[in-house]
């Protein structure tokens, strides 16, 4: 039976663990001198060896003939722990056993002496996932541990572990492994496995694994079908058809062509490209552009070398430094989320949508990026002086189109560009809203209606604000709505409505009000009214109205919620 490389090469002794000598030497020493602790906390990012070391420690604590602090690997204790037949060593994943009952049960068992070995060992992985009650229960055992008991807790998130627990554990911090160290180890493994691995490919894998040996070995595994593993083989084994399509995707995003960007992503996804890998590639590309922008001469050492200078040059011209930083932040945020996300594809799609229109995640960075864009445009002012200010929006397209198209070859001929390539919202005619033209004084308010994302933030030309649009919708629907619902809909404390160019998003205070509005007939009626008022076909979403104290961070979450809430 084929065994995954990362399992096969999982270290069996402290000496085999790569790159964590500061920890393994200490633990070996403790085993040799018999001065072990009853509670350990292993901290570090994923794949850095926490659970591997926990298992080695569990064996070493019970080994009948430890060798220089390492478990012998041959005695009944070592063998029994390795194959899981010794019930005194228990591995618990706190992510799925996080309740107080689980810990209480554990506490009841823990008092009994071990059956077949010296020490009963509990390895609790992802310990930060325990509930508060479970932590309190755990604390009770840690306060007065029986002699035979050892806890090895592992976590990726130290800040979520209560201080009371921390103070009772011996702490060890696992380092992210150096890329060179990982590459060295990969070469060693490849040699033993009769794989021909080029150094550049080993380094590429090491870079992609971001300091985690387990991820690095898994990636090597994915490439092991190739007889010669070079960088191309790595790209293709990971579902990358090359970096040019990643560059093409960014190019669509820069042109705000959400439609084509999502289509291209979908086709990459169908080709088997991993969404996280794609985002990683996008970030590498953006980062390389930034490096080239801030240090054009020193840049050569700083860039990844995965994208040609021609490609980087194109984006350096198209995006200001602040815009690059802003987009790097957008992609980085999504990369953080994608690992825990149940739908990596959705997370990547939201990221691409945000890249096409960074205003969706508007924050200080985005404002900075917009200011830098205005400044950049002003530099080109002489060409534009004849253009009346009011037509600036359309002018941006013209400005961009004066730059050369990317000189890189595409796998496919470029798709024909729709005339409104900058934004589908450009299709909307403000005349659609003429009937509901708000009062002059409303025009000065910042409107959350993003009918045209290219419009200035002051929304001086926004066709209509949310409040009056919503009032018109409710008025239109009023007659056919249940009487009790109307006061909820018209009370801004209970209901908030946001109209974007294709969605009517309702947020309603959870509980009674939410349940009253979240009713098929009510939502259907509201959507009909919204369609009648706007003249467009909107979809309607409803979600629970939450406290509004973290406005800048909410947008992505909101977008995510759209998919989870009921659609009519
Ligand atoms: Zn042993």
């Amino acid at each position: 039976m084929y065994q995954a490389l990362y399992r096969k090469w999982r270290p069996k002794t402290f000496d085999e663990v790569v790159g964590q000598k500061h920890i393994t030497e200490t633990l070996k020493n403790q085993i040799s001198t018999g001065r072990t602790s009853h509670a350990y906390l292993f901290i570090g990012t994923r794949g850095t060896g926490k659970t591997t070391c926990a298992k080695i420690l569990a064996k070493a604590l019970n080994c009948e003939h430890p060798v220089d602090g390492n478990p012998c690997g041959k005695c009944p204790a070592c063998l029994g722990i390795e194959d899981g037949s010794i019930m005194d060593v228990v591995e618990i994943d706190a992510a799925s056993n996080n309740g107080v009952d689980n810990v209480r049960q554990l506490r009841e068992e823990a008092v009994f002496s071990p059956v077949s070995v010296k020490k009963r060992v509990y390895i609790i992985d992802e310990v930060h996932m325990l509930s508060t009650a479970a932590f309190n229960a755990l604390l009770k055992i840690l306060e007065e541990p029986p002699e035979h008991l050892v806890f090895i807790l592992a976590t990726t998130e130290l800040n979520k572990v209560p201080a009371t627990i921390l103070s009772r554990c011996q702490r060890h911090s696992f380092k992210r492994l150096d890329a060179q160290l990982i590459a060295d180890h990969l070469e060693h493994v490849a040699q033993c496995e009769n794989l021909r691995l080029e150094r550049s490919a080993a380094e590429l894998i090491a870079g992609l694994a971001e300091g985690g040996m387990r991820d690095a070995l898994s990636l090597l595994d994915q490439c092991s079908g190739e007889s010669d593993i070079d960088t191309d083989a790595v790209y293709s084994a990971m579902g990358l058809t090359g970096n040019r399509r990643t560059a093409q995707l960014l190019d669509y995003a820069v042109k705000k062509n959400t439609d084509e960007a999502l289509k291209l992503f979908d086709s990459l996804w169908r080709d088997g490209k991993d969404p996280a890998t794609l985002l990683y590639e996008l970030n590498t590309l953006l980062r390389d552009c930034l490096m080239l922008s801030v240090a054009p001469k020193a840049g050569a050492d700083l860039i990844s070398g995965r994208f040609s200078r021609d490609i980087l040059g194109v984006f350096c011209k198209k995006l200001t430094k602040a815009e690059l930083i802003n987009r790097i932040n957008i992609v980085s945020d999504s990369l953080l989320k994608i690992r825990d996300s149940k739908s990596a594809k959705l997370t990547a799609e939201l990221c691409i949508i945000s890249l096409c229109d960074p205003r969706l995640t508007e924050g200080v960075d985005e404002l900075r990026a917009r200011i830098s864009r205005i400044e950049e445009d002003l530099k080109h002012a002489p060409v534009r002086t004849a253009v009346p200010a009011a037509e600036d929006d359309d002018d941006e397209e013209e400005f961009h189109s004066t730059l050369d198209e990317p000189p890189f070859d595409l796998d496919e001929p470029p798709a024909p560009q729709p005339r409104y390539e900058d934004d589908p919202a450009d299709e909307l005619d403000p005349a659609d809203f003429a009937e509901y033209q708000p009062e002059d004084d409303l025009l000065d308010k910042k409107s959350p209606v993003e009918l045209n994302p290219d419009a200035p933030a002051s929304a001086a030309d926004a066709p209509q604000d949310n409040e009056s649009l919503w009032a018109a919708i409710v008025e239109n629907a009023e007659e056919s709505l249940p009487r009790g619902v109307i006061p909820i809909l018209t009370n801004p404390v209970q209901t908030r409505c946001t109209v974007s160019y294709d969605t009517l998003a309702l947020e309603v205070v959870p509980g009674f009000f939410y349940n009253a509005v979240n009713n098929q007939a009510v939502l259907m009626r509201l959507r009909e009214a919204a369609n009648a008022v706007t003249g467009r076909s909107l979809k309607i979403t409803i979600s629970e109205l939450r406290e509004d104290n973290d406005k800048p961070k909410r947008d992505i979450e909101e977008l995510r919620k759209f998919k989870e809430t009921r659609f009519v």
Side-chain angles (χ1 to χ4, degrees), residues 197-215:
L197 174 67
E198 277 185 16
R199 181 70 193 182
S200 57
E203 284 172 356
L204 175 57
I205 294 175
L208 291 170
E210 294 191 325
M213 186 64 85
R214 189 178 58 205
D215 286 355

Side-chain angles (χ1 to χ4, degrees), residues 77-363:
C78 284
L79 293 171
I81 294 168
E82 175 66 25
D83 67 19
S85 61
I86 290 182
M87 308 304 274
D88 300 311
V89 173
V90 185
E91 276 186 84
I92 298 168
D93 178 14
S96 45
N97 302 284
N98 57 358
V100 64
D101 291 343
N102 297 111
V103 176
R104 284 214 185 103
Q105 195 196 340
L106 183 157
R107 219 168 72 192
E108 280 162 23
E109 300 169 1
V111 295
F112 298 111
S113 301
V115 180
S116 39
V117 287
K118 290 179 271 185
K119 302 268 187 189
R120 188 183 277 275
V121 183
Y122 288 97
I123 299 168
I124 307 183
D125 201 11
E126 303 291 350
V127 71
H128 61 274
M129 302 288 280
L130 289 181
S131 65
T132 310
F135 267 127
N136 288 335
L138 182 62
L139 191 58
K140 288 226 171 73
I141 337 173
L142 289 178
E143 277 167 345
E144 290 176 56
E147 192 53 37
H148 62 259
L149 198 60
V150 176
F151 279 98
I152 308 172
L153 314 177
T155 184
T156 47
E157 293 181 58
L158 181 61
N159 57 333
K160 290 186 185 162
V161 180
T164 44
I165 300 275
L166 295 184
S167 65
R168 286 179 170 80
C169 297
Q170 190 180 94
R171 279 187 258 174
H172 296 276
S173 295
F174 286 69
K175 289 186 296 190
R176 228 183 257 278
L177 298 181
D178 183 68
Q180 294 301 320
L181 206 59
I182 294 183
D184 290 346
H185 188 62
L186 290 175
E187 283 191 325
H188 170 67
V189 171
Q191 209 169 20
C192 299
E193 296 284 330
N194 287 321
L195 298 170
R196 284 156 58 121
L197 174 67
E198 277 185 16
R199 181 70 193 182
S200 57
E203 284 172 356
L204 175 57
I205 294 175
L208 291 170
E210 294 191 325
M213 186 64 85
R214 189 178 58 205
D215 286 355
L217 286 169
S218 296
L219 290 173
L220 178 62
D221 225 343
Q222 284 181 43
C223 305
S224 61
E226 309 284 332
S227 51
D228 280 301
I229 306 172
D230 54 13
T231 48
D232 278 348
V234 175
Y235 278 124
S236 100
M238 289 184 317
L240 283 160
T241 47
N243 50 26
R244 285 169 302 179
R245 293 178 87 187
T246 306
Q248 176 69 76
L249 183 63
L250 183 64
D251 193 52
Y252 285 138
V254 170
K255 289 175 175 159
K256 298 182 181 171
N257 192 342
T258 317
D259 206 34
E260 286 301 326
L262 287 174
K263 265 191 225 160
L264 177 56
F265 169 69
D266 192 60
S267 105
L268 289 169
W269 186 75
R270 279 171 203 287
D271 289 345
K273 184 161 184 167
D274 170 41
T277 309
L278 172 72
L279 294 192
Y280 181 85
E281 281 289 320
L282 275 173
N283 234 14
T284 306
L285 173 56
L286 288 162
R287 181 193 159 280
D288 283 355
C289 291
L290 183 63
M291 290 300 157
L292 209 59
S293 289
V294 294
K297 287 193 183 125
D301 304 328
L302 297 173
I303 60 177
S304 71
R306 289 182 217 171
F307 295 93
S308 73
R309 285 291 180 124
D310 288 346
I311 291 178
L312 297 181
V314 169
F315 292 114
C316 284
K317 268 192 259 170
K318 288 189 176 188
L319 294 167
T320 65
K321 293 183 192 89
E323 282 173 331
L324 285 167
I325 292 171
N326 172 246
R327 280 155 181 82
I328 289 171
N329 286 337
I330 290 173
V331 181
S332 302
D333 281 353
S334 300
L335 270 170
L336 278 179
K337 284 177 190 160
I338 208 162
R339 285 189 167 152
D340 298 323
S341 166
K342 289 202 174 63
S343 170
K345 182 168 189 262
L346 172 60
T347 307
E349 282 166 343
L350 292 175
C351 176
I352 290 163
I353 292 167
S354 300
L355 284 177
C356 293
D357 185 0
R359 271 172 219 214
L360 291 171
T361 51
E362 188 149 279

Side-chain angles (χ1 to χ4, degrees), residues 63-65 71-75 78:
C63 179
E64 289 161 24
H65 320 284
C72 74
K74 293 174 195 137
C75 68
C78 284

